[in-house]
Amino acid sequence: MRVASSRVATVAMVLVGLAALAVAGRLVRTTPSAERPATTAAGTIPPAATTTTVDSVEVPDAFGQTVAEAKTVMHTAGLRGAADERDPQVPGAVVVVQEPATGNLVPHGSVVWFRTRTDVQANGVVRRLRLGAGQTTATYLVVAPDPPTHPLTVVVSMPHAAEVKVWLETEFKSRVPVVGRRQDPTSCKPAGGQVRCVVRFGVVDAGGELGIWTARVAKHSSPPAVLEVTVRFARQ
């Protein structure tokens, strides 16, 4: 009887031990591993992000614009525009250089600095010139891109009877002829009682530092005349 009771006790202890192991195994299998991502009915839960990214913005082109216009362009792109403290700050000052340059990628909200001048004509803006009787000349400064990146177009409107020469002079005194005394019929056409000349150039590489050119007009006919000249460098 004692032997049978001992055997029964041993078997009971073995069964209890096996049951305990089974329960422990289930607990181990159902506990998510620290080395694997937890799962749900929808799938694997990705780990939390540990890094952040900053939006990049491509710097737009403010070449030849007034400070007021250039600031608006930068604001629209998510940037801030400001004239260099050494340069004119007035809204009508013209941007001759910008830093960073057009096309660079910068963080959103960055400042784009402008070098400005007040003695140059804004890019693409009409210049109205009143020339008196007899042979008369007129000059004014225009801003040209440096390095050269923009094709050049010059538009001249003048009276039919006017004999006028128009050209651009670079910083190195080289000439870019626009209109001669004998108007080119391929570029000069009658328009509303006047003659309108549209002369298109490619990218003009004339050298220089800040790209400040001189627009020159020489009238050879006697009567007074009013001319309108537009010098425009337009990015392709």
Side-chain angles (χ1 to χ4, degrees):
M1 291 296 292
R2 291 180 181 176
V3 173
S5 299
S6 177
R7 288 178 179 176
V8 171
T10 301
V11 171
M13 292 178 63
V14 171
L15 292 175
V16 171
L18 290 174
L21 289 174
V23 171
R26 284 197 300 270
L27 290 175
V28 170
R29 285 194 298 271
T30 56
T31 301
S33 171
E35 298 178 357
R36 298 180 182 178
T39 58
T40 65
T44 302
I45 300 174
T50 57
T51 60
T52 58
T53 58
V54 178
D55 292 337
S56 293
V57 177
E58 183 174 335
V59 178
D61 187 9
F63 159 77
Q65 299 181 17
T66 64
V67 170
E69 294 169 337
K71 286 183 176 180
T72 299
V73 169
M74 296 304 161
H75 177 75
T76 301
L79 303 171
R80 292 182 295 144
D84 189 285
E85 62 182 8
R86 298 167 293 178
D87 293 342
Q89 309 286 318
V90 295
V94 177
V95 175
V96 296
V97 176
Q98 68 179 64
E99 181 61 38
T102 304
N104 281 293
L105 293 177
V106 297
H108 187 276
S110 296
V111 177
V112 178
W113 294 100
F114 307 137
R115 299 303 309 271
T116 65
R117 290 178 60 156
T118 55
D119 60 345
V120 298
Q121 184 80 2
N123 183 49
V125 175
V126 177
R127 183 75 171 225
R128 190 176 179 87
L129 303 171
R130 296 182 179 274
L131 304 178
Q135 295 189 4
T136 313
T137 62
T139 62
Y140 65 95
L141 299 179
V142 298
V143 57
D146 181 41
T149 52
H150 303 53
L152 168 64
T153 300
V154 182
V155 180
V156 181
S157 296
M158 56 188 170
H160 278 287
E163 294 182 11
V164 177
K165 291 178 64 177
V166 181
W167 69 96
L168 301 178
E169 190 173 271
T170 71
E171 287 180 276
F172 294 150
K173 305 303 179 183
S174 60
R175 286 192 175 192
V176 180
V178 178
V179 175
R181 292 179 64 176
R182 294 184 178 179
Q183 299 167 4
D184 183 355
T186 61
S187 58
C188 297
K189 308 289 184 182
Q194 291 197 320
V195 175
R196 187 171 186 266
C197 302
V198 180
V199 185
R200 294 182 174 87
F201 302 85
V203 175
V204 181
D205 187 358
E209 295 180 357
L210 288 178
I212 304 300
W213 293 7
T214 303
R216 296 190 178 275
V217 177
K219 182 176 69 67
H220 299 277
S221 50
S222 296
V226 176
L227 278 71
E228 292 184 346
V229 181
T230 305
V231 178
R232 180 175 179 81
F233 293 88
R235 180 173 291 276
Q236 291 177 311

